[in-house]
Amino acid sequence: MSKVTLLIHCPDTSGIISAVTSFFYEKEGNIIYIDQYVDVENKIFFMRLESEFEHDLAIEDFRDEFNRELGTPYNMHWEIFTSGSKLRMALFVSKYDHCLYDILGRYKSGELNIELPMIISNHDELRPIAESFDIPFYHIPVKKNKKAEAESRQLELLQKEHIDFIVLARYMQIVSENLISAYPNQIINIHHSFLPAFAGARPYHFAYKSGVKIIGATCHYVTGELDAGPIIEQDISRISHSHSVKDLILKGRDLEKIVLARGIKLHLERKTLVYNNKTIVFI
């Protein structure tokens, strides 16, 4: 049985849903999921659809026919994904290990349906963790006057391993436009939600001194504007006067792990669609 996932956005007009579902019906597809959303202000239509086929699908012919019959007439931006192959993910890390351990545990247990051919780091401290999970580890130092050289090496490795998307699992470096342009809306980052109010190396200490009542974490796609890319997932934890700085840090790290894992899953399941720096998330 073949399964495809369709993501589209286009100018809103009547008849789109009927046209799309009729196309899949005519191709003997069984639609098992469909969701749509209309941005009324901008008059943009969004849709996610999953369909199963009992026969083998000639996917390139299917894409060509979809574009000719629907894509072009409705001025659609569309993507059709098959379920046959696993996405190849690269992990970028620095010195913090909590997100790394969590992702590797989920990967080894089969929770994340991916291939993980590499971990790249600007420090060497986390190499033993990668080796314990039998994942190749590449130490690429990022020096201030040689950052372009380091990123060139990163891109070389990513392209050699045919990486589909990147996860910054607390990678403490600013990603350049070269890498972002090579992987548009394919680089996922996690950070604490204190930004920009509590930016810097000690955000939880500043938050503690300010008497915050909630802390949070944000998972987003990376863009050229620092920590301002389209948001995929967020969550919070409540704080009281009885919590210490250490409590805030521990709660924050738990949130970062959970929110990042959710964001990765949404991306893997093709449930995200980016439009104008906003992420439409289909649940």
Side-chain angles (χ1 to χ4, degrees):
M1 181 175 291
S2 302
K3 179 180 175 182
V4 301
T5 300
L6 167 70
L7 287 174
I8 65 172
H9 73 269
C10 62
D12 186 35
T13 187
S14 61
I16 301 175
I17 297 174
S18 175
V20 172
T21 54
S22 295
F23 177 86
F24 277 82
Y25 174 76
E26 292 168 1
K27 302 301 179 186
E28 300 181 356
N30 178 33
I31 296 173
I32 58 176
Y33 171 97
I34 186 170
D35 193 8
Q36 63 278 332
Y37 160 71
V38 176
D39 181 339
V40 177
E41 181 178 353
N42 295 301
K43 298 181 180 179
I44 302 296
F45 176 86
F46 301 88
M47 174 186 278
R48 181 180 184 273
L49 179 149
E50 293 180 12
S51 182
E52 291 180 341
F53 297 82
E54 292 188 358
H55 58 279
D56 291 334
L57 203 61
I59 190 61
E60 293 306 321
D61 292 340
F62 186 88
R63 288 191 174 105
D64 289 343
E65 290 181 42
F66 182 89
N67 188 55
R68 183 174 62 253
E69 297 181 24
L70 297 175
T72 300
Y74 284 97
N75 193 22
M76 289 181 180
H77 296 268
W78 60 273
E79 292 181 283
I80 292 177
F81 305 97
T82 61
S83 59
S85 59
K86 295 181 180 181
L87 291 181
R88 293 172 66 80
M89 181 181 85
L91 276 176
F92 279 38
V93 298
S94 289
K95 292 184 177 181
Y96 293 111
D97 61 8
H98 54 289
C99 288
L100 176 62
Y101 268 121
D102 186 73
I103 292 171
L104 291 180
R106 295 174 190 271
Y107 166 65
K108 283 298 184 181
S109 69
E111 183 178 335
L112 298 177
N113 186 33
I114 57 170
E115 293 181 4
L116 183 53
M118 66 169 64
I119 297 171
I120 292 176
S121 180
N122 58 320
H123 296 282
D124 206 39
E125 279 83 346
L126 301 186
R127 180 185 296 275
I129 299 174
E131 291 176 347
S132 69
F133 282 87
D134 296 321
I135 307 296
F137 183 91
Y138 298 91
H139 175 214
I140 303 177
V142 181
K143 298 180 180 180
K144 187 175 181 179
N145 59 341
K146 293 185 178 181
K147 187 169 183 177
E149 181 180 319
E151 289 186 339
S152 177
R153 173 60 176 153
Q154 291 171 351
L155 269 172
E156 180 184 333
L157 287 170
L158 294 169
Q159 292 166 358
K160 179 181 178 181
E161 290 294 339
H162 305 288
I163 296 299
D164 295 302
F165 74 107
I166 301 165
V167 172
L168 309 182
R170 293 308 308 272
Y171 180 64
M172 309 304 288
Q173 289 286 323
I174 296 175
V175 178
S176 78
E177 286 288 352
N178 287 337
L179 196 59
I180 294 170
S181 62
Y183 289 89
N185 297 323
Q186 300 294 328
I187 305 176
I188 298 174
N189 189 31
I190 184 72
H191 66 68
H192 54 79
S193 289
F194 298 132
L195 292 170
F198 299 111
R202 294 162 61 86
Y204 292 103
H205 293 76
F206 290 126
Y208 174 79
K209 290 180 180 179
S210 298
V212 299
K213 300 302 182 244
I214 60 171
I215 60 172
T218 297
C219 177
H220 65 93
Y221 289 113
V222 175
T223 62
E225 188 175 355
L226 182 62
D227 291 328
I231 294 171
I232 306 170
E233 181 61 275
Q234 292 178 299
D235 206 347
I236 62 167
S237 180
R238 299 204 67 84
I239 298 299
S240 78
H241 58 274
S242 65
H243 290 107
S244 66
V245 173
K246 184 178 179 181
D247 292 329
L248 266 65
I249 292 173
L250 292 175
K251 285 178 174 289
R253 288 180 178 175
D254 281 342
L255 281 174
E256 289 170 7
K257 292 186 291 186
I258 294 168
V259 171
L260 181 56
R262 289 177 188 164
I264 293 171
K265 289 179 183 179
L266 288 168
H267 182 84
L268 287 174
E269 293 167 4
R270 310 295 191 180
K271 291 185 176 181
T272 62
L273 197 161
V274 176
Y275 179 78
N276 282 353
N277 207 52
K278 180 180 180 181
T279 309
I280 308 301
V281 180
F282 297 98
I283 304 300

